[in-house]
Each structure stands twice: as structure tokens, then as C-alpha cells.
Amino acid sequence: MNANLYITGIRIFGVAALLSVTFQTYAQEDKKDKNLNREMTLEREYDPSVQDASKVNSLPTIKEPQIKKTPIDYANFTLPVEPGKEIGILSSGKIMTDMSYNKRRGYFNFAGGTYLNLNGDLGYHILSTDKDQLNFSFGHRSTNGKIKLLIPDDYSTGTEDIKNKAKLNDNLGIIDYKHEFDNLSFKLGAQYGYSAFNYYGYYLGLGQDNTLNKNQVNQQIFFDLGFASKEKTSFNYLIDLAFRNFSHKYGMSPDKDGVKENAFGGKLGLNTELDSDKKVGIDALIDYFSYSVPKEDELSFEGFNNHAEITLTPYFAMLGENWNLKLGVNAMFITGDNNKVFVSPHVTADVEVADATVLYGNFLGSIHANSMYDISLENRYADPTKGIMPSRTWLDGTIGIKSGVVPGFWFDIFAGYKITDNEHFFIPYYGSGWGNVGDVKYLDSKVLRLGASFKYSYQQLIDITLKGVYNSWDVSDTNKDNLTQGKDGNDYKAYNKPKLEMEAGLTIKPIDKLAIALNYYLGSGRYTTFDINKVENIKMDNINELNLTGSYTFNDTFGAYLKFNNVLCQKYDLFPGYTAQGFNAMVGVNINF
């Protein structure tokens, strides 16, 4: 389910396979990947219900172990990659209209609703053969309605309610090509994204009215190409190269130019068989970021430092009759002003302990680039004049058990622990120019996660889902020379991150062509602060949302749906000052051709 007033582009407008395709490894899941196929194939039912224009912003996604998906051969459109996040509003139910997409080459979706929310999607298979796939897709999300803003009690002026117009115009066009040679797969893709929006959030100072009608504009141009050897060879390789140009049109105000980011990425994978059930290999990921800062206003920008991020992962992998094991290590390097060298484990394992029941564990580490592009997906209202330093995850471990042994019932129970240095947390900053922009507080973080997910289906008549994750955060100041938590009385929080997340879904199909879905999401235990120096923590309102969707399939060509968001009419901020839309409705159509 998504919270209202979300930046919708996160799910539809994430860029497919940023700077990479999946490395070939010896795990069983990798054997199903078919080299580049997963990256070039949309492995889910096309579902415009999860990408409403009303979702003008996004919190990160809920933590959940990866589940192996069964490829669906009808939809070969590029799948946008979602950045790994801590929390998030989960997708609204996976129903729209129950259409058979494998019989058609294209799809079209259009929907409109209150707050001038508009959704539009168009996709077409230009080529679709065993050897060649050429696909095009375009998506549009926009909104232009007034939002009644929540005002902190301590800052209330006692005047009339404040209503600001929230504007968003998101567009993304994608074209990708894939060719299967006898001994290798080749892919080539390009994307163009355009996003215009205003900083409509509540502002404590003066002068924001001058910029409410002005739009910031983010643009991106992306190219990538890749080669991967075919399976079942003694020596396997993967090469992937990518380039992205991302830019803010403006700096802190419409009279200031913005920063441009150029990102060059390369990924290499090599492995060879030792015998029939063992492999040894190395993966390498290299990203280089360069920035163009306006010379006439150079002193107004900070943190935009040219640098490289390198991860080398040598590993040894084994495959048993009912188990998989990969033993490796990540050696990671960050160059430039924030240069660091650190090492983390890279270990994955799973074993079938009973019929259709798997015990699994993952112990990994990574560099989080926090590039301009990444941050735009996480919080488009972040301060456009501040570059965010890379974060370093020393350990991201998860153990769990999942099972589908009972017909119609599936569960996944897991626990995880993550240690990250230099993690960034968004807090509000009230300054001249746009007004309310997202500032960053850097904290070292440790988080313990406990979670479970359950699903039940009965004869294609009813589907029930329930997910829950409890996050126990422990954060401290990144500067060890400063007085830290517990010494100066500061009680830092994991700002804007929920302590508890829950999602429940119910889908009923009372008749063959009709589906009714209820989805509920709760995100509680969030905090913010308006003065990081004094650390006056303020509890944010819970995200508490119920959505209702009804869809009807007339035939394999045409379907329609009606959706009501925020049925409980709850008020809450997605980021401090940026209040979600209230109750809103949308009606749409899906067409296959």
C-alpha cells in the first residue's frame, strides 16, 4: 500500500538496473535468472494501481527477504529497480483488471481523480522473438491540488488553516533492446526522465509564498549496455557499463542554477567451475561520480566531491542437492574527500529443511552512494545545494525461514541486524529560498529487525496478506570527538523512520470479472527535530491508511477500476511539513492491444 501524497515515481520511475545487471553466481536463484533476462523482463502483472499520482512522496520500503519470483513471459518491459530502504508504504493490492497480457503486444492505462491526480502508462513490444526483444514504455504521474498542512503545536500561529498547492509532473520514457547470440546475451538501453515539482511543505519563516508557484526540475539521461556469457560453460563472464546524467535545474531558489551529476558505472563478473558443484569467482563494481557546480554561486554548495566507489568480491560457491552456499568477502574503497577502506562479509546460504520449507541466511555489506539521483528517489524535497556523503554498511545480516508446505498458505519469519556508519536521516531546514527543504543529520546506526509475512489464498476467491516489521534503532553521533548520546543528554532518534510497520490486505472476487481489495498500512514511532543542536525530538503522527479498490474486467481487451485512497481521512506528514493528501478518489481504464 502507498501513503497518499507520495512521490510516485519510485516504483514506476526507478531506473532499471542502475549501473549493473545481476552477477552470475552459482546459487540456485542465479540459475533461474537467465543472464540478463531478469533485468530486461518485467516479472509481475502490470498493475497501475500501485503507482497513483496521489503518491507525491515516498518513504523507503519495508524490510523483507528476497523471494524468488516465477518469470512471467508476457511482460518483457524493463522493471524499475527500487533502492534498498529501511521503511516504506507498501504497494496497494496487486489487482487491477485481470487481463491476459501474453496475447497482446501493448498496454495503455489512464486514470484521473480528485486533487487533479493523473496516471498514464503506455508500453509496446516492438520486437518479441526468441532472439530479439525491443520494448518501449512511457509513464506519467501528476498532481495539482491544495493540501491542508499539519502545523506543529509549538509553532502554530493561531491563524486560519494553511493550504498549499502541491504540484508534481513526473515522466519517464524507456527503450531497451536485447539480443541472444549463440554464446552470449547482449543488452542496450536508454531512458529519459523529467520531473517538475514545488516545495509545498510548511515553512516556519517568511517569503515562501514567492516560490510556491515555482517548480524545481530534475532531469536524467541514462544509457547502459551489457554482455553476459551463456549458462553451462566452464568459464562465465559479465560486463556491464552505464552512464547517467542527473541535474537539478535550480539551487536553493529559482534565481540560482543547480548542480549536475555525471555517474559512470562498470560491473564485471568472472567465475569458473572447479568441478560440477563448485565455482570460484570475483565480482567488481566501480562507480565514479563527478559534479558540475555553478561557478557564480560556488560557495552556496557543499558536499559535491568527485569520487570513486569500488567494491571487489571474491567468492567460493557450492551447490548441494537441497542447499546452496556462497562464501565471499567485500573489499570496499571510497576515494576523494571522504576516502575510506573497509571490509564486510558476503555470505549467503539456504537449505531445504523440509518439504517446501527453506531456512536461509544472508550476511552482507555495501557502500550506499547517496548520489543525487538516489536521494531524489528517496526524498525529492532534499536540499538541492548539499551533496550527501556515502554511507558504509559493515553488516546487513538476515536469517529466516519460509515455507509454502500447506496448500494456499505461505509464511516468512525473519530477523535481521544492520550496522551502518554515516547513515543519513532527513530533518527539516527552514532557510531562505524554497523554504522547507530536507536537511540531513549524519548518525552511526544499528538496527535490529524482527518481522513476519503471511499469505493465504482460497480457490482464487479470496487472498489475505499480513506483514509486520519491528525496528529497534540505536543511533549515535558520527563524530566520535564530539559529546555523543548519553554524555551530553542528546537522545538522537532515527529521524523519520518508523519503529513499527504493518500491512494487511484482503482481496475478494465475488464473481468472475469483479475484484474488490482492501489494503491497510500502519507506520508508527516516527520522530523529527526542528533544532538538531538542542535535539528537541518531536513525535510525528502515525501513517495510518486504508485504501479500497474495485476493478472489473469486461474482456481481454478492456477493464476499468475505481479506487478510494485514505478512506479513514487521516492526516500525517511523509516528511516534516509535507502533509499527505486527505481522502481522494480515482477512476481509470486499462486497455490491451
Side-chain angles (χ1 to χ4, degrees):
M1 171 186 314
N2 288 328
N4 292 304
L5 202 53
Y6 256 15
I7 302 178
T8 47
I10 301 230
R11 296 192 180 277
I12 190 77
F13 299 149
V15 173
L18 173 62
L19 305 180
S20 66
V21 288
T22 303
F23 274 58
Q24 291 191 41
T25 66
Y26 198 53
Q28 186 173 351
E29 181 175 0
D30 295 322
K31 287 190 171 183
K32 296 181 180 180
D33 283 349
K34 301 297 184 184
N35 297 310
L36 302 176
N37 191 49
R38 274 190 182 261
E39 186 166 45
M40 306 278 304
T41 302
L42 180 57
E43 294 176 347
R44 62 179 174 84
E45 196 168 320
Y46 173 68
D47 177 15
S49 69
V50 305
Q51 301 119 7
D52 288 345
S54 61
K55 317 303 188 256
V56 186
N57 215 328
S58 172
L59 298 173
T61 50
I62 197 168
K63 177 67 179 179
E64 183 181 4
Q66 292 183 354
I67 306 301
K68 298 176 184 179
K69 299 179 180 180
T70 302
I72 301 173
D73 61 5
Y74 56 73
N76 290 318
F77 296 97
T78 303
L79 173 62
V81 165
E82 300 169 15
K85 306 295 191 275
E86 306 298 336
I87 60 173
I89 302 304
L90 301 170
S91 59
S92 310
K94 292 200 180 247
I95 65 140
M96 240 13 277
T97 48
D98 232 357
M99 296 184 176
S100 180
Y101 284 87
N102 57 330
K103 297 179 181 179
R104 305 301 178 90
R105 280 186 173 269
Y107 63 81
F108 172 75
N109 165 68
F110 181 78
T114 54
Y115 294 89
L116 289 180
N117 295 330
L118 295 176
N119 290 354
D121 295 285
L122 174 67
Y124 194 74
H125 298 281
I126 302 171
L127 293 175
S128 183
T129 67
D130 292 339
K131 290 285 188 181
D132 295 283
Q133 296 177 17
L134 178 60
N135 305 307
F136 166 80
S137 63
F138 175 79
H140 169 84
R141 301 292 180 271
S142 61
T143 189
N144 194 2
K146 284 192 173 182
I147 306 296
K148 180 180 177 181
L149 302 182
L150 286 173
I151 303 175
D153 293 336
D154 293 343
Y155 298 93
S156 176
T157 62
T159 59
E160 66 278 1
D161 295 332
I162 296 178
K163 292 185 178 180
N164 286 346
K165 181 172 287 188
K167 297 187 291 183
L168 171 71
N169 184 350
D170 265 355
N171 303 273
L172 180 68
I174 301 173
I175 187 167
D176 59 65
Y177 174 71
K178 177 184 175 183
H179 180 78
E180 296 289 345
F181 293 97
D182 292 338
N183 297 317
L184 63 89
S185 296
F186 167 76
K187 71 158 192 174
L188 180 66
Q191 303 181 19
Y192 174 73
Y194 177 94
S195 176
F197 59 94
N198 70 330
Y199 296 88
Y200 72 92
Y202 174 63
Y203 177 44
L204 293 177
L206 300 174
Q208 190 190 20
D209 288 343
N210 297 328
T211 59
L212 279 175
N213 293 323
K214 301 289 186 179
N215 286 344
Q216 174 70 279
V217 177
N218 294 341
Q219 294 189 76
Q220 62 141 327
I221 301 172
F222 176 80
F223 301 96
D224 77 330
L225 62 89
F227 302 87
S229 60
K230 297 288 189 176
E231 292 183 347
K232 300 188 181 302
T233 60
S234 59
F235 178 78
N236 299 294
Y237 63 88
L238 179 149
I239 301 172
D240 189 31
L241 302 174
F243 168 78
R244 171 177 283 108
N245 173 269
F246 182 84
S247 64
H248 299 308
K249 184 175 182 179
Y250 302 116
M252 186 53 84
S253 61
D255 60 343
K256 304 291 185 181
D257 291 334
V259 179
K260 295 179 175 61
E261 175 184 76
N262 292 313
F264 303 86
K267 196 168 188 179
L268 172 68
L270 301 172
N271 62 58
T272 185
E273 288 187 356
L274 298 180
D275 53 46
S276 61
D277 62 351
K278 298 180 182 65
K279 280 192 179 181
V280 63
I282 185 170
D283 297 339
L285 174 62
I286 302 173
D287 295 317
Y288 180 77
F289 299 92
S290 66
Y291 298 91
S292 176
V293 177
K295 296 297 183 183
E296 66 276 8
D297 196 35
E298 190 171 6
L299 296 178
S300 299
F301 297 87
E302 60 180 85
F304 296 102
N305 303 306
N306 298 350
H307 69 281
E309 299 172 6
I310 303 169
T311 301
L312 301 177
T313 308
Y315 65 88
F316 171 73
M318 294 187 294
L319 172 66
E321 184 176 350
N322 62 350
W323 57 272
N324 299 283
L325 176 64
K326 181 179 178 182
L327 300 173
V329 62
N330 292 329
M332 290 170 279
F333 310 86
I334 301 174
T335 69
D337 293 351
N338 303 304
N339 66 91
K340 296 290 181 181
V341 178
F342 68 108
V343 177
S344 78
H346 188 103
V347 178
T348 63
D350 62 78
V351 57
E352 187 174 1
V353 296
D355 185 31
T357 302
V358 174
L359 180 67
Y360 63 89
N362 304 307
F363 304 92
L364 309 169
S366 61
I367 300 172
H368 304 276
N370 299 330
S371 66
M372 284 172 52
Y373 171 75
D374 293 337
I375 296 303
S376 74
L377 297 181
E378 185 179 347
N379 179 6
R380 74 176 66 209
Y381 305 110
D383 188 338
T385 67
K386 291 185 179 179
I388 298 181
M389 293 185 291
S391 302
R392 307 181 304 279
T393 295
W394 299 80
L395 175 66
D396 188 358
T398 303
I399 58 173
I401 184 169
K402 53 189 175 184
S403 176
V405 65
V406 178
F409 179 72
W410 174 92
F411 72 84
D412 186 355
I413 301 173
F414 61 93
Y417 191 70
K418 184 178 180 182
I419 304 173
T420 301
D421 284 356
N422 214 40
E423 182 67 279
H424 65 279
F425 298 89
F426 287 108
I427 59 174
Y429 169 71
Y430 301 106
S432 60
W434 298 117
N436 186 346
V437 296
D439 200 0
V440 165
K441 174 62 179 175
Y442 294 104
L443 296 170
D444 292 340
S445 70
K446 300 175 183 177
V447 57
L448 171 67
R449 296 189 185 93
L450 302 174
S453 179
F454 304 91
K455 299 178 183 179
Y456 176 73
S457 299
Y458 177 72
Q459 294 184 352
Q460 297 184 341
L461 297 177
I462 184 171
D463 291 308
I464 300 173
T465 62
L466 179 64
K467 297 180 181 179
V469 177
Y470 174 79
N471 303 297
S472 178
W473 289 90
D474 179 14
V475 296
S476 60
D477 199 305
T478 57
N479 190 340
K480 307 305 180 185
D481 295 329
N482 291 341
L483 292 175
T484 57
Q485 178 177 329
K487 295 182 180 180
D488 62 353
N490 286 341
D491 180 21
Y492 295 121
K493 301 291 186 181
Y495 297 111
N496 212 44
K497 309 286 190 180
K499 193 170 186 178
L500 175 67
E501 292 183 293
M502 294 189 66
E503 181 195 28
L506 172 65
T507 301
I508 302 174
K509 297 183 179 180
I511 60 177
D512 181 47
K513 296 181 180 297
L514 176 66
I516 301 172
L518 277 171
N519 295 97
Y520 174 75
Y521 176 83
L522 170 68
S524 65
R526 297 185 302 152
Y527 286 85
T528 189
T529 181
F530 291 101
D531 189 343
I532 196 63
N533 295 318
K534 293 188 294 185
V535 192
E536 296 178 347
N537 296 319
I538 298 174
K539 195 174 189 303
M540 300 176 67
D541 292 309
N542 294 339
I543 300 175
N544 184 11
E545 183 179 323
L546 179 67
N547 291 345
L548 172 64
T549 304
S551 65
Y552 191 83
T553 302
F554 295 94
N555 50 50
D556 64 356
T557 298
F558 182 76
Y561 62 93
L562 178 64
K563 185 169 185 178
F564 300 101
N565 293 316
N566 199 359
V567 174
L568 301 178
C569 302
Q570 298 294 297
K571 299 292 289 184
Y572 55 85
D573 284 347
L574 295 165
F575 293 95
Y578 286 88
T579 306
Q581 289 182 3
F583 171 79
N584 62 89
M586 178 170 282
V587 61
V589 296
N590 294 329
I591 300 173
N592 291 319
F593 57 90

